[in-house]
Amino acid sequence: MHAGIDERMASRRARVATVAALAVLLAVPLVAGALSAGTPAALLSLPVESIVVVLLLVAVASPRWRAVVAGVFGAVVVAAVLAAALDAGFRATIDRGFSPAEDAPAVVSAVGVVADAAGPVNAGLLVALVAGVLAAAAVVLARCALRVGRVAARSEGAGRIAITAVAAAWIVGALAGTQLVPGVPLAAAESARALAATAARTAQSVRDQADFQRALASDPLRDAPDGGLFGALAGKDVVIVFVESYGEVAVRDSAFTQGVAQTLREGGEQLTRDGYSAQSALLTSPTFGGVSWLAHATLHSGVWADSPQKYDSLTSSDRLTLARLFADAGWRTVSVVPSNTGTWPVGRSFYGYDAMLDAGNLGYTGPAFSYARVPDQFTLQAFHDRELTGSHAPVMAEIDLVSSHTPWTPLPRLVPWSEVADASVFDAQPAQDPAPIELWADPHRVQEMYGESVEYSLGALFTYLHAYDQPNLVLVMLGDHQPARIVSGADADHDVPVTIIAKDPAVFARIASWRWEPGVRPSADAPVWRMDAFRDRFVDAFTP
């Protein structure tokens, strides 16, 4: 009696396991499509990948080859899900699809941002967890395929009829365009489609790289005479300030940009009282949501570097940068990149900087603010003390203000400029804001903190200009890219504000033909240039 009960229970468990395996086979190959479409409705289809693998497993007699077929199936489906997840993540953050040929460095950088926000140990555990989940998913898929294949084979005629009927339904659905729900086809091949799309983007990346190499070979400034450039800026300090994530969304009216608008209004009014003038426009950035160095390289070089692969090619070339052109014309050139924690060889080999200030030599000993280790106020103060104090040769510098870098928490607060040099003034500030993992659970709070971060960075710059009178300063303030879609919205473009600030009216006479708008807040009707147009137009304007 007990043996009979045990047999019935074992049979019931076997049926449940088979049903679960079938459910996995029907659902998981559709996950890539759900990620691409952004809706779980894509799971209501028949996946051709599962139909094909079961047909193969029924047809193959050798246990070894069955294991190979099932293993390949599991690996292919998991690879497709990973590719679709990366593609969805790239589109949500930097607004373009994922290409393995170009984007491996960006994935590494993303892990670095997570490490800055959550700590290197937690980031390492997260990477290990993801790798483990992917490997386990491939094994589970393979075992589910083997189980369903065995059941279909043992059922002989009934099993073959069932799988043939499902295959026929898929074919008919594909030919007729049948949809179970609007926009969701009955016949799906989402894993295959995800891998094909990734392969197509990779092939396009290779073609784009060839075109980019041809563009690099032609530099209109290559034969410019040494010492003949920037004559209209003689004796002036020229500083390019990139404000991290300062996109057009920050200068448009919304619930989370009211503080930014007030900061720009009050900052502009204070600049006017201090004798400064300002004109603004918009630049179209080659990147979106991140990968800031693409914007930096594009602005400096005058070529459109919109991927890490192109950046690597560009920085390995002899293309002339603004920094190198200024150095050739007699300026001392300086980079200030407080997010750099290691060596940066291209700072000298490509950009041509005479001096490079970073997290290691700025002298900051206070608390880190997530990715933005150094508060923008301290960055500006350190640069001013080292490069602009007293009599000095004209300086051309790029300064990166990174306090507005994602994850936008915790944030520094403005302190009196007389206290900035003592980094301990920032000690209590990080505890005033939520941790990144807490903040990012609430999209509205993320938007609010983004606005506050831009307020801080702009406020640091405006109050710096008020605190230190600099009649010979020409400052170019611009964003590097729009913030991620969670802030900028689904329809945001790639435009960022750009503003030139100076006291000398002759500076603005040189750019009158640009027809930029007065003030520090460009309107929606402001002129728009591609960022790669800036280098040559700037050189032309200030070279008599």
Side-chain angles (χ1 to χ4, degrees):
M1 180 174 177
H2 290 294
I5 294 175
D6 290 343
E7 288 178 2
R8 287 195 296 273
M9 291 182 64
S11 176
R12 186 178 298 114
R13 285 195 295 267
R15 287 195 297 272
V16 169
T18 300
V19 170
L22 182 60
V24 169
L25 282 191
L26 289 175
V28 175
L30 298 170
V31 171
L35 290 170
S36 299
T39 172
L43 299 175
L44 301 176
S45 300
L46 286 176
V48 69
E49 299 86 358
S50 297
I51 297 172
V52 169
V53 75
V54 173
L55 284 171
L56 288 174
L57 290 172
V58 169
V60 172
S62 167
R64 177 193 296 180
W65 283 108
R66 283 183 178 177
V68 170
V69 169
V72 170
F73 166 75
V76 167
V77 171
V78 169
V81 171
L82 177 60
L86 287 170
D87 187 63
F90 270 62
R91 293 187 187 281
T93 53
I94 62 175
D95 198 39
R96 63 178 177 82
F98 171 73
S99 169
E102 295 184 312
D103 294 322
V107 174
V108 174
S109 297
V111 174
V113 172
V114 173
D116 289 325
V121 174
N122 289 334
L125 290 174
L126 179 61
V127 171
L129 176 62
V130 170
V133 168
L134 292 174
V139 172
V140 169
L141 272 169
R143 292 177 66 88
C144 289
L146 285 171
R147 183 176 191 87
V148 173
R150 282 197 303 269
V151 171
R154 289 172 183 169
S155 300
E156 296 182 347
R160 287 175 169 79
I161 290 171
I163 190 62
T164 301
V166 173
W170 190 95
I171 294 170
V172 171
L175 293 174
T178 305
Q179 295 183 352
L180 295 179
V181 296
V184 179
L186 171 67
E190 300 300 342
S191 293
R193 184 176 289 110
L195 292 177
T198 301
R201 283 192 297 271
T202 301
Q204 184 61 48
S205 296
V206 173
R207 292 191 292 270
D208 288 348
Q209 183 66 14
D211 293 339
F212 185 74
Q213 292 293 344
R214 286 190 287 272
L216 280 183
S218 175
D219 188 345
L221 297 181
R222 191 179 307 280
D223 297 324
D226 291 344
L229 301 181
F230 307 118
L233 294 173
K236 297 188 182 301
D237 297 315
V238 180
V239 179
I240 298 172
V241 177
F242 275 100
V243 180
E244 174 67 41
S245 301
Y246 180 40
E248 185 181 11
V249 66
V251 297
R252 300 290 167 255
D253 292 330
S254 69
F256 60 88
T257 58
Q258 295 177 2
V260 176
Q262 180 177 345
T263 299
L264 287 167
R265 182 177 63 254
E266 294 176 353
E269 292 170 352
Q270 185 62 60
L271 288 175
T272 300
R273 290 193 294 269
D274 292 338
Y276 288 97
S277 295
Q279 291 186 7
S280 298
L282 298 169
L283 298 178
T284 302
S285 173
T287 186
F288 186 103
V291 203
S292 306
W293 53 89
L294 301 182
H296 302 180
T298 294
L299 185 93
H300 271 273
S301 67
V303 291
W304 191 253
D306 61 352
S307 72
Q309 187 180 35
K310 291 176 184 174
Y311 175 85
D312 290 342
S313 296
L314 174 59
T315 54
S316 300
S317 74
D318 60 355
R319 181 84 178 186
L320 290 169
T321 64
L322 280 171
R324 194 172 294 282
L325 290 166
F326 269 101
D328 291 343
W331 271 258
R332 171 177 166 81
T333 58
V334 183
S335 72
V336 187
V337 189
S339 56
N340 277 359
T341 57
T343 59
W344 187 40
V346 300
R348 294 199 193 280
S349 64
F350 173 66
Y351 286 100
Y353 288 118
D354 297 316
M356 295 185 290
L357 302 178
D358 56 28
N361 59 16
L362 272 172
Y364 180 71
T365 57
F369 290 81
S370 190
Y371 175 89
R373 295 171 174 82
V374 184
D376 291 341
Q377 259 191 296
F378 190 94
T379 297
L380 291 167
Q381 184 70 63
F383 166 72
H384 183 85
D385 290 346
R386 297 193 188 194
E387 300 294 339
L388 300 185
T389 300
S391 60
H392 59 277
V395 171
M396 180 272 165
E398 179 195 318
I399 302 175
D400 297 349
L401 299 184
V402 297
S403 292
S404 51
H405 192 287
T406 183
W408 305 307
T409 186
L411 294 176
R413 269 68 177 176
L414 293 175
V415 300
W417 281 95
S418 59
E419 301 176 13
V420 173
D422 180 2
S424 64
V425 72
F426 301 101
D427 283 350
Q429 293 188 359
Q432 299 175 25
D433 288 322
I437 192 170
E438 177 185 349
L439 173 72
W440 282 74
D442 183 352
H444 296 294
R445 191 75 181 103
V446 172
Q447 294 171 348
E448 291 172 358
M449 290 297 285
Y450 164 77
E452 291 179 22
S453 74
V454 175
E455 288 175 49
Y456 169 77
S457 293
L458 295 177
L461 186 57
F462 291 146
T463 58
Y464 164 73
L465 293 173
H466 176 63
Y468 298 103
D469 181 46
Q470 299 177 77
N472 291 321
L473 176 67
V474 176
L475 187 142
V476 181
M477 175 185 76
L478 74 157
D480 47 10
H481 53 70
Q482 292 264 48
R485 290 289 178 196
I486 190 174
V487 174
S488 60
D491 299 326
D493 55 28
H494 282 221
D495 293 346
V496 299
V498 58
T499 301
I500 290 184
I501 301 171
K503 287 191 171 183
D504 186 354
V507 170
F508 298 98
R510 303 292 304 187
I511 64 171
S513 64
W514 294 2
R515 300 186 182 279
W516 285 16
E517 296 179 340
V520 295
R521 188 186 186 193
S523 73
D525 298 323
V528 182
W529 300 351
R530 280 190 14 149
M531 195 173 281
D532 56 348
F534 183 85
R535 184 198 71 162
D536 293 359
R537 292 186 181 184
F538 191 84
V539 170
D540 288 344
F542 293 106
T543 299

